[in-house]
């Protein structure tokens, strides 16, 4: 049964990682995107650029810096020491941190677009009716930006699933801990176990197709709501 | 207009037809041989004027690329199996394989005293032990064998982190993320001796690193010359300098 587990384990691990990263980025991405959509600060452009960096940088750049940062000589060492480890590399926690950084723009870009589409009228109307800021956010902003939220979640999830370069550089390829689907495919190809590689790779193609179709449908619906 | 075309055409033809003054050999090389390969390449260029372009990677990965038509002319593997398979699958020149180097596995730890490496391994007072992927990298397979001979396979199983090739394994250790790991002697030949433990040669099967001329390289005299150069005295001295033994040249 080891053969089956070789397929199932990376899939389960990858899905778990993608769920956690998507949830974290919902929390982290919302205030950043809101600030980016409303602020007039001179810092807006630089901050937006920093957030968008992972879109442009090769994953090896992030992987290289994370490898150094995660180790005992970087900030990751003291952090990992909190639970008795020496390094954040080679751990699921490390992958979560890396993926949050790597997938950040995939959450913030759609959210920001969604927030920017909300007119001042809605917000002012809510304020006139005595809604406090939390009320306004939950009852007005979130429903109006729901297409942005959906797109952001789908893209974040998909992008985390598709991560490879960063994981290759900091993961250590530990089954059940850091061996994601993309790594497993790479290994199978390298070991000439092409049948298993096909199973996972074919699954990824199907997955990507479904995701892209979903995003396109979401975009069309969002277009109708706004227009 | 016509005239300028003719001149241009003539220029292109001349370029295509003239014998290249210096050829470039493209070589796929196992990652553990990175440093000696670069020095060998420079020595080869100094002697013949021809250059060598190296692509470094895990032996398994390079083999996969060759089997899929990668245009490498020479393949310096980290084992004997893959070059033999290159020939068996009709991708290499018959009879061109030979052992260019015999690898040595060492345990390396920049922050520990490895005077008695076996004791450090057995003490198990570390969190991560880096090895190369045993399924694709011969040095990884050798590391697994060493651990088995020391009776530590189960004790350290949860602490193993796997580099995709032997270079990444060293990178895990040098960046401090893993305290120690099994690498090739050639990679750490210039480190202080207390940081490097030479694994007794009888504790692992010898790592014969074979070279092969591919079908692509068969037609290129420069590729043949490079392999001949590897068998010569000058090359053998360089290879030994980096911590390898050299074969008999056959």
């Amino acid at each position: 049964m080891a053969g089956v587990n070789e397929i199932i384990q990376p899939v389960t691990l990858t899905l778990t990682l993608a769920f956690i990263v998507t949830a974290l980025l919902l929390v982290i991405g919302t205030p950043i995107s809101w600030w980016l959509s409303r602020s007039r600060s001179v810092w807006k452009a630089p901050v937006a650029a920093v957030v968008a960096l992972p879109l442009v940088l090769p994953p090896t750049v992030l992987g290289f810096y994370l490898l150094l940062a995660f180790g005992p000589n970087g900030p990751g060492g003291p952090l990992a020491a909190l639970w008795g480890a020496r390094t954040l590399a080679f751990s699921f926690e490390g992958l979560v941190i890396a993926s949050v950084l790597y997938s950040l723009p995939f959450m913030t870009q759609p959210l920001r677009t969604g927030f920017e589409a909300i007119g001042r009228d809605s917000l002012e109307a809510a304020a006139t009716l005595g809604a406090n800021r939390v009320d306004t956010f939950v009852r007005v902003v979130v429903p109006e930006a729901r297409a942005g939220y959906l797109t952001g979640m789908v893209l974040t999830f998909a992008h985390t699933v598709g991560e490879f370069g960063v994981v290759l550089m900091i993961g250590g390829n530990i089954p059940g801990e850091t061996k994601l689907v993309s790594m497993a495919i790479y290994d199978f190809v390298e070991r000439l176990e092409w049948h298993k590689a096909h199973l996972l790779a074919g699954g990824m193609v199907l997955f990507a197709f479904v995701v892209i179709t979903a995003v396109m449908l979401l975009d069309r619906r969002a277009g109708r709501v706004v227009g | 207009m016509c005239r300028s075309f003719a001149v241009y055409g003539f220029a292109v033809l001349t370029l295509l037809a003239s014998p290249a003054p210096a050829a470039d050999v493209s070589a796929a090389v196992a990652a553990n041989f990175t440093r000696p390969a670069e020095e060998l390449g420079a020595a080869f260029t100094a002697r013949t004027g021809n250059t060598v372009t190296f692509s470094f990677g895990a032996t398994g990965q390079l083999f996969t690329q060759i089997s899929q038509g990668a245009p490498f002319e020479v393949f310096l593997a980290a084992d004997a199996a893959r070059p033999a398979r290159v020939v068996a699958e009709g991708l290499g020149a018959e009879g061109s394989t030979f052992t260019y180097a015999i690898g040595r596995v060492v345990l390396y730890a920049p922050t520990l005293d490895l005077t008695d490496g076996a004791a450090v391994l057995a003490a198990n007072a570390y969190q991560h032990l880096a090895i190369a992927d045993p399924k694709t990298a011969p040095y990884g397979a050798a590391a697994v064998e060493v651990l088995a001979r020391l009776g530590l396979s189960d004790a350290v199983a949860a602490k193993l982190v796997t580099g995709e090739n032997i270079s990444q394994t060293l990178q895990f250790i040098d960046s401090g993320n893993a305290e120690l790991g099994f690498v090739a002697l050639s990679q750490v030949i210039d480190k202080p001796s207390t940081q490097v433990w030479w694994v007794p040669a009888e504790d692992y099967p010898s790592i014969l690193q074979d070279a092969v001329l591919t079908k692509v390289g068969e037609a290129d005299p420069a590729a043949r010359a490079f392999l001949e150069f590897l068998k010569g005295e000058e090359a053998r001295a360089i290879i030994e300098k980096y911590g390898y033994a050299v074969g008999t040249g056959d």
Side-chain angles (χ1 to χ4, degrees):
Chain A
M1 291 308 282
V4 178
N5 204 30
E6 268 184 312
I7 303 283
I8 301 295
Q9 197 178 43
V11 171
T12 325
L13 190 70
T14 305
L15 292 179
T16 313
L17 177 72
F19 272 116
I20 293 175
V21 169
T22 308
L24 282 175
L25 275 179
L26 270 180
V27 177
I28 299 167
T30 296
I32 295 177
S33 311
W34 181 255
W35 184 80
L36 285 175
S37 72
R38 298 285 141 175
S39 170
R40 299 197 177 158
S41 160
V42 291
W43 292 103
K44 181 169 160 169
V47 170
V50 168
V51 169
L53 275 180
L55 285 175
V56 182
L57 290 176
T60 40
V61 171
L62 202 54
F64 169 57
Y65 284 130
L66 285 177
L67 187 69
L68 297 183
F70 277 3
N73 306 320
L79 188 61
L82 295 179
W83 56 91
R86 284 180 66 254
T87 170
L88 284 173
F90 320 132
S91 69
F92 186 74
E93 293 82 355
L95 288 194
V96 170
I97 294 174
S99 305
V100 162
L101 291 173
Y102 188 48
S103 291
L104 184 60
F106 292 82
M107 182 62 87
T108 54
Q109 302 288 27
L111 279 189
R112 183 179 166 185
T113 313
F115 290 157
E116 278 170 350
I118 301 172
R120 297 193 63 83
D121 320 358
S122 319
L123 300 180
E124 278 163 10
T128 316
L129 292 170
N132 63 28
R133 296 178 80 162
V134 176
D135 269 345
T136 310
F137 193 82
V138 173
R139 299 192 183 197
V140 179
V141 173
V142 172
E144 289 213 26
R146 91 181 162 271
Y149 269 103
L150 275 172
T151 310
M153 283 160 66
V154 173
L155 285 181
T156 302
F157 192 90
H159 190 245
T160 307
V161 167
E163 192 174 319
F164 175 65
V166 176
V167 183
L168 178 73
M169 292 186 73
I170 63 164
N173 211 2
I174 303 169
E177 179 82 22
T178 58
K179 186 169 188 166
L180 302 181
V181 169
S182 54
M183 285 297 304
I185 295 173
Y186 185 77
D187 274 8
F188 286 141
V189 173
E190 204 171 280
R191 293 167 191 181
L192 300 176
E193 296 180 32
W194 288 3
H195 176 66
K196 288 175 188 162
H198 270 309
L199 274 177
L200 283 175
M204 288 293 283
V205 171
L206 192 68
F207 170 78
F209 175 78
V210 169
V211 166
I212 294 168
T213 311
V215 170
M216 285 176 161
L217 290 176
L218 281 173
D219 270 357
R220 224 170 51 195
R221 248 181 54 193
R224 256 206 321 266
V225 171
V226 175
Chain B
M1 183 71 190
C2 266
R3 203 184 134 81
S4 65
F5 257 118
V7 170
Y8 175 74
F10 181 74
V12 169
L13 280 177
T14 316
L15 273 178
L16 288 176
S18 64
D24 184 62
V25 181
S26 90
V29 178
N32 76 79
F33 204 65
T34 302
R35 291 170 56 198
E38 278 164 351
E39 189 170 336
L40 288 165
F44 179 67
T45 304
R47 183 179 272 211
T48 67
N50 297 323
T51 53
V52 190
T53 303
F54 296 108
S55 300
F56 300 105
T59 295
Q61 179 200 342
L62 295 171
F63 172 78
T64 307
Q65 290 173 3
I66 290 170
S67 73
Q68 294 308 302
F72 296 121
E73 298 175 293
V74 168
F75 179 28
L76 305 187
D79 65 8
R82 249 62 73 110
R85 200 161 155 189
V86 167
V87 174
E89 294 191 5
L91 301 162
E94 278 313 320
S96 68
T97 58
F98 70 97
T99 302
Y100 66 93
I102 300 167
R104 292 223 50 161
V105 175
V106 294
L107 186 67
Y108 166 59
T111 57
L112 302 173
D113 182 357
L114 288 184
T115 311
D116 186 354
V120 173
L121 274 176
N124 215 346
Y126 44 85
Q127 292 191 353
H128 293 295
L129 173 62
I131 62 170
D133 184 346
K135 284 209 183 172
T136 55
Y139 284 88
V144 167
E145 182 68 26
V146 171
L147 291 171
R149 300 261 177 112
L150 294 173
L152 292 170
S153 300
D154 293 335
V156 302
K159 298 183 169 185
L160 289 181
V161 288
T162 310
E164 188 263 316
N165 59 44
I166 199 75
S167 293
Q168 199 191 17
T169 309
L170 178 62
Q171 174 192 319
F172 283 161
I173 306 165
D174 263 344
S175 66
N177 286 293
E179 296 100 312
L180 71 176
F182 287 101
V183 295
L185 172 61
S186 57
Q187 297 173 290
V188 293
I189 191 86
D190 48 7
K191 305 286 182 193
S193 62
T194 54
Q195 298 178 7
V196 179
W197 179 59
W198 290 44
V199 178
E202 63 271 17
D203 278 351
Y204 60 93
S206 51
I207 300 172
L208 299 179
Q209 304 200 176
D210 278 10
V212 65
L213 182 69
T214 67
K215 284 284 184 204
V216 186
E218 220 174 350
D220 181 1
R224 288 177 176 279
F226 181 62
L227 285 185
E228 280 311 308
F229 172 76
L230 284 184
K231 296 175 184 169
E233 277 312 311
E234 185 184 358
R236 287 158 73 97
I238 293 173
I239 294 170
E240 281 182 325
K241 190 176 82 183
Y242 281 96
Y244 297 90
V246 287
T248 53
D250 299 316

